[in-house]
């Protein structure tokens, strides 16, 4: 864990949602296994997550599709790799499953703690309605919400971070006063650091091998914590 940041230098925290605040790996695994059970295949958790990560990254880098479509197509692709064909209904159920994905147990209390000191925003690879369901699970009102649906592209496209910077600039917050907080090195830290943003890595997979539901990537966040609770404690310590 590294925590050598002056948090007084920031006015706004912007968050990735899925993987950082919402436990998307648990949600993805539950949804995929529900779809696969009737087809009598039982791959390992790591195999499912890595297969899904690869296909989602490919789909998100292409022409824009709604996130629920990416989920459905991604589920079909993962299943096909296992030698089975999902029905339209099975794929559609997984496509709408985001609202069922649980929040990490420290997300809500950490966000409420951070609200006392910072403005809070979200930059998420999701549809508006799906994120709205996740937001209700978190129970915290954000000052800004920018979704892939609004922007028309998915992280790690730098355009998403440029859109976020512009939105906060209109609110009077300079880029240097923004701290981006995220789990995914691939989706968030690589593009954010290239654009000169300060970042904090919430290393949710610190005790697990591999990169799970995100493609492997290398980046240099300004600080690293194992949980939102650890980050919130450090960021509000003084």
């Amino acid at each position: 864990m590294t925590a050598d940041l002056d948090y007084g230098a920031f006015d706004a925290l912007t968050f990735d949602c899925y993987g950082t605040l919402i436990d998307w790996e648990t949600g993805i695994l539950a949804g995929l296994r529900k779809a696969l059970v009737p087809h009598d295949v039982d791959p390992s958790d790591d195999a499912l997550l890595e297969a899904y990560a690869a296909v989602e990254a490919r789909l998100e880098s292409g022409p824009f599709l709604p996130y629920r479509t990416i989920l459905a197509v991604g589920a079909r692709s993962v299943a096909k790799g296992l030698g089975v064909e999902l029905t339209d209904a099975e794929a559609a159920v997984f496509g709408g499953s985001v609202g069922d994905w649980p929040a990490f147990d420290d997300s809500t209390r950490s966000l409420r703690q951070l609200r006392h000191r910072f403005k809070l925003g979200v930059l998420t690879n999701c549809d508006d309605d799906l994120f709205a369901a996740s937001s209700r699970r978190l129970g915290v009102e954000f000052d800004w919400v920018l979704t892939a649906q609004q922007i028309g592209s998915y992280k790690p496209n730098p355009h998403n971070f440029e859109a976020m910077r512009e939105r906060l600039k209109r609110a009077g917050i300079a880029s240097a006063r923004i701290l981006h907080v995220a789990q995914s090195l691939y989706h968030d830290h690589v593009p954010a650091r290239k654009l000169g943003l300060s970042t904090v890595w919430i290393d949710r997979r610190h005790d697990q091998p591999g990169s799970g539901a995100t493609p492997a990537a290398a980046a240099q966040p300004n600080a690293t914590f194992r949980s939102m609770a650890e980050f919130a404690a450090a960021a509000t310590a003084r």
Side-chain angles (χ1 to χ4, degrees), residues 172-185:
I173 297 176
S175 179
R177 305 289 297 181
I178 300 169
L179 181 61
H180 188 62
V181 184
Q183 180 271 332
S184 175
L185 297 177

Side-chain angles (χ1 to χ4, degrees), residues 62-226:
F64 182 80
L65 296 168
Y67 190 56
R68 64 175 64 243
T69 301
I70 285 176
L71 287 167
V73 175
R76 284 186 180 278
S77 179
V78 170
K80 187 174 182 179
L82 296 169
V84 301
E85 293 286 338
L86 296 187
T87 66
D88 290 345
E90 288 166 341
V93 167
F94 183 68
S97 68
V98 172
D100 298 326
W101 298 356
F104 287 104
D105 62 7
D106 64 348
S107 292
T108 297
R109 68 176 183 271
S110 298
L111 290 168
R112 288 176 177 169
Q113 183 177 351
L114 291 162
R115 274 204 68 85
H116 292 295
R117 182 165 181 177
F118 305 96
K119 296 286 189 180
L120 305 182
V122 169
L123 179 66
T124 179
N125 278 0
C126 204
D127 300 338
D128 290 348
D129 65 324
L130 295 178
F131 173 74
S134 298
S135 183
R136 288 191 290 272
R137 282 188 177 273
L138 293 169
V140 175
E141 185 175 350
F142 293 95
D143 298 286
W144 309 278
V145 173
L146 287 89
T147 66
Q149 181 181 4
Q150 294 168 22
I151 299 168
S153 60
Y154 288 92
K155 299 178 294 183
N157 191 322
H159 178 60
N160 292 58
F161 291 88
E162 291 163 351
M164 178 189 76
R165 289 197 306 188
E166 182 59 31
R167 175 74 66 85
L168 270 65
K169 180 180 177 181
R170 294 199 301 268
I173 297 176
S175 179
R177 305 289 297 181
I178 300 169
L179 181 61
H180 188 62
V181 184
Q183 180 271 332
S184 175
L185 297 177
Y186 169 81
H187 294 96
D188 290 86
H189 293 278
V190 170
R193 295 297 290 143
K194 283 183 178 178
L195 290 173
L197 290 167
S198 298
T199 68
V200 166
W201 183 23
I202 308 299
D203 184 12
R204 294 286 192 183
R205 292 185 57 87
H206 64 274
D207 57 351
Q208 301 174 68
S211 58
T214 63
Q220 292 186 324
N222 298 90
T224 301
F225 296 90
R226 294 168 296 184

